[in-house]
Amino acid sequence: MSSTFATPVGSPALSSFNPRASHPERRQADSLSSHWMSLVLEELDYGVLLLNAAGRVLHCNLAARRSLDASHPLEISANQIRSREAKDAAPLADALLKAEREGRRCLLRLGDGERRANVVVVPLNKDVSQAAVLLVLERGQLCGDLAAQWFALRYGLTPTETEVLKALSAGVRPNFVAEQQGVAISTVRTQIQSIRAKSGADSIGELMRQLAVLPPLMSTLRMEVN
């Protein structure tokens, strides 16, 4: 897979690179671009996997490794992406094959009940010598903890309001938030009103929209997983 990056002016790594450079210099530049791409994928708060049509995993970022737990309809076994339920095996294999060979993209709905999840299949077959397939996993909440923390700092939310905000972004209803915090529902409603007033949101729906469009970045304080 080839990648193109806009190089900062004066960058010591690539400032001397030109089309007539020697092959070692070109290989060094390509290696640096690949390394940058890997770092970018690790910072995204969306699970992303790079595969071939046979389902072999070429790259799996941190968010994907966290998402593919026992509750997800997909798993990685022997460096292969597999469906946990037999009924999903054929649709998954067909989507990967058509993405690589025909350039088709699609939205797969996999699993049932608590294991149900959406997966986007994206072909990466344009201007490359070897085609690949990108799987993008859905997030379990509107925004990650880091994005919610940024939002809270931006609008001066209190620590308690921040926790309420994170709970709402994870789909927890106000009455359950009250139970979790051991307070009356009226207290949580007052906190939500305060969050809305500080952020300028005229409704909970507008507040959720603001959270949904926050950049999906991972925390630098994250714990690495194998």
Side-chain angles (χ1 to χ4, degrees):
M1 181 180 69
S2 61
S3 305
T4 302
F5 289 84
T7 306
V9 176
S11 170
L14 298 179
S15 58
S16 61
F17 182 74
N18 62 75
R20 297 181 180 179
S22 64
H23 290 300
E25 289 175 320
R26 290 184 181 180
R27 286 196 296 269
Q28 181 181 9
D30 289 342
S31 177
L32 182 57
S33 293
S34 297
H35 180 63
W36 278 342
M37 177 59 76
S38 295
L39 293 178
V40 168
L41 293 178
E42 290 303 302
E43 290 299 324
L44 293 179
D45 194 24
Y46 277 97
V48 175
L49 297 98
L50 185 65
L51 315 169
N52 64 13
R56 184 167 67 87
V57 179
L58 306 176
H59 184 84
C60 177
N61 73 348
L62 176 63
R65 297 196 297 274
R66 285 181 169 177
S67 296
L68 295 177
D69 56 17
S71 65
H72 200 277
L74 294 177
E75 64 178 345
I76 298 177
S77 176
N79 206 38
Q80 293 282 131
I81 193 71
R82 303 182 188 278
S83 60
R84 295 181 186 272
E85 299 184 16
K87 71 178 184 62
D88 293 329
L92 176 63
D94 185 60
L96 295 180
L97 188 63
K98 288 182 177 178
E100 185 185 59
R101 295 185 178 179
E102 303 175 22
R104 294 189 184 183
R105 63 182 63 205
C106 70
L107 173 66
L108 289 178
R109 185 70 164 175
L110 304 174
D112 287 309
E114 295 182 357
R115 279 187 176 177
R116 188 171 56 188
N118 291 309
V119 177
V120 176
V121 181
V122 181
L124 300 178
N125 62 347
K126 185 177 181 180
D127 300 326
V128 293
S129 58
Q130 182 178 356
V133 181
L134 187 70
L135 286 191
V136 183
L137 311 180
E138 68 178 14
R139 289 191 295 176
Q141 57 190 63
L142 287 178
C143 66
D145 284 348
L146 179 61
Q149 193 66 42
W150 282 348
F151 187 92
L153 290 173
R154 168 64 179 80
Y155 293 109
L157 304 187
T158 67
T160 302
E161 290 170 349
T162 301
E163 292 306 309
V164 171
L165 180 74
K166 290 179 179 179
L168 293 176
S169 74
V172 181
R173 295 185 178 183
N175 59 318
F176 290 120
V177 176
E179 291 181 10
Q180 291 174 352
Q181 296 188 351
V183 298
I185 182 62
S186 58
T187 299
V188 173
R189 287 173 178 162
T190 298
Q191 292 165 340
I192 293 175
Q193 290 176 352
S194 177
I195 296 170
R196 286 173 46 199
K198 292 177 180 179
S199 63
D202 57 10
S203 65
I204 292 182
E206 170 59 21
L207 177 61
M208 295 299 99
R209 190 201 69 80
Q210 291 185 25
L211 294 178
V213 298
L214 290 174
L217 300 180
M218 297 291 287
S219 171
T220 56
L221 299 179
R222 63 182 183 251
M223 294 182 63
E224 294 294 334
V225 295
N226 294 324

